[in-house]
Amino acid sequence: MGVLRGLLAVAALWALTGVARADLLVLVHGYLGSSHSWEAGGVVPLLERHGWRRAGLLRIGPAGIERRPGPGAEAANKVYSVDLPSTAPLMVQADLLAALLRDLKTRHPDEPLHLAGHSAGGVVARLLLVRHPRIGVASLITIAAPHTGTLRAVEALDETDGSGPVGWFRDLFGGNLYQTVKHSRGVLIDLTPPHPGSLLHWLNLQPHPDIAYHSIVRPGPTGMGDELVPAFSQDMNSVPALRGRSRVVVSDAAHGLAPGDAVLLLGLIDKSSWKPNR
């Protein structure tokens, strides 16, 4: 396992020098996020400054796949964002993402496709790789993703348990966010730590495609993890099927997206051919 600390100065410098490429980067948001999360976190604006142009937004609408082209649709290096129903079970999200990526690959068949997933979006992207391995993804980069689950999901399930008089009280006074979380029980169950019969228990034992894997880990002030996901869970090497296969980069940011993630993404995309000796 290659563990890198900091911003990988050499790799980042290489990525930022404007070396000619022709790649696709697809950004997958996390739970309760949207395509706008990457904009609000400052990631897409910084990518744009370094030659990765906004190529469009992809989503599934009532009539099927909806494409909203961006100004960089004809650029060499293209950034696409997706909108997924983040409160839906992970398998639903992964299959919708597969449909979007197949559509994208029909329009860009010869350009390497890189996936970047934040938080639960990283698990969605990895689930896509296992369920749809022939789509042709070159690399997966995850940021603060709960690959071996998070106890925060367990706590959210406990707090939104609607049984008994306490549940009635929460229904009455919990507010819109409470209702949103309550109706997210499917995805929250998927994000609980692996146990027999759970999605993560199954997923983490499945064969994964032979591509480049990169884990961006937020250790938090104590080194144990950020406010939502333990550090070990963010490391894809903690997944039995991927042990020793993921490059790790440590980032001091909080759980949310930050402009520095753009620098890390650029450096890791340039390392997309990296694979460990096995």
Side-chain angles (χ1 to χ4, degrees):
M1 175 182 70
V3 179
L4 306 181
R5 295 186 177 273
L7 297 183
L8 294 174
V10 175
L13 178 62
W14 174 264
L16 298 178
T17 53
V19 176
R21 303 181 62 96
D23 292 69
L24 306 173
L25 173 61
V26 176
L27 305 175
V28 185
H29 60 80
Y31 173 61
L32 299 184
S34 70
S35 58
H36 183 66
S37 301
W38 297 89
E39 296 279 354
V43 177
V44 173
L46 191 55
L47 289 173
E48 178 103 1
R49 283 175 53 191
H50 293 291
W52 286 76
R53 304 294 307 283
R54 295 174 175 89
L57 168 66
L58 304 174
R59 60 185 298 176
I60 303 290
I65 294 175
E66 296 179 357
R67 309 180 194 94
R68 298 182 183 177
E74 301 302 322
N77 295 326
K78 306 173 185 67
V79 178
Y80 285 90
S81 299
V82 299
D83 269 327
L84 298 172
S86 74
T87 59
L90 295 183
M91 202 165 287
V92 172
Q93 296 186 56
D95 288 349
L96 292 175
L97 179 59
L100 297 176
L101 295 185
R102 286 194 184 97
D103 178 74
L104 187 62
K105 287 294 285 184
T106 61
R107 292 179 287 120
H108 305 285
D110 300 321
E111 297 175 48
L113 169 61
H114 309 276
L115 287 181
H118 173 241
S119 193
V123 183
V124 170
R126 188 163 62 84
L127 180 57
L128 160 105
L129 294 177
V130 168
R131 285 178 58 79
H132 307 277
R134 296 184 180 180
I135 285 179
V137 174
S139 69
L140 171 63
I141 304 169
T142 65
I143 304 171
H147 293 291
T148 60
T150 171
L151 290 177
R152 294 296 191 187
V154 178
E155 294 169 358
L157 288 167
D158 289 342
E159 290 298 319
T160 54
D161 183 357
S163 61
V166 175
W168 281 98
F169 181 85
R170 290 172 180 156
D171 283 348
L172 188 60
F173 297 105
N176 292 335
L177 180 58
Y178 171 80
Q179 291 297 330
T180 298
V181 174
K182 182 174 181 178
H183 291 114
S184 307
R185 292 184 68 83
V187 67
L188 292 173
I189 290 171
D190 288 344
L191 293 173
T192 57
H195 56 275
S198 71
L199 177 70
L200 285 180
H201 181 267
W202 172 84
L203 172 62
N204 291 353
L205 296 176
Q206 300 307 303
H208 285 55
D210 188 20
I211 65 171
Y213 294 91
H214 308 286
S215 306
I216 297 177
V217 175
R218 315 279 213 220
T222 66
M224 301 296 290
D226 61 30
E227 62 271 27
L228 293 179
V229 183
F232 68 84
S233 186
Q234 302 175 37
D235 181 354
M236 281 187 277
N237 292 295
S238 297
V239 172
L242 288 176
R243 196 154 289 151
R245 294 173 61 183
S246 177
R247 181 182 290 264
V248 178
V249 177
V250 175
S251 165
D252 291 332
H255 184 77
L257 291 164
D261 292 324
V263 179
L264 294 174
L265 289 175
L266 290 171
L268 292 173
I269 289 171
D270 191 64
K271 295 288 186 181
S272 62
S273 62
W274 178 88
K275 294 175 186 175
N277 293 323
R278 290 190 287 151

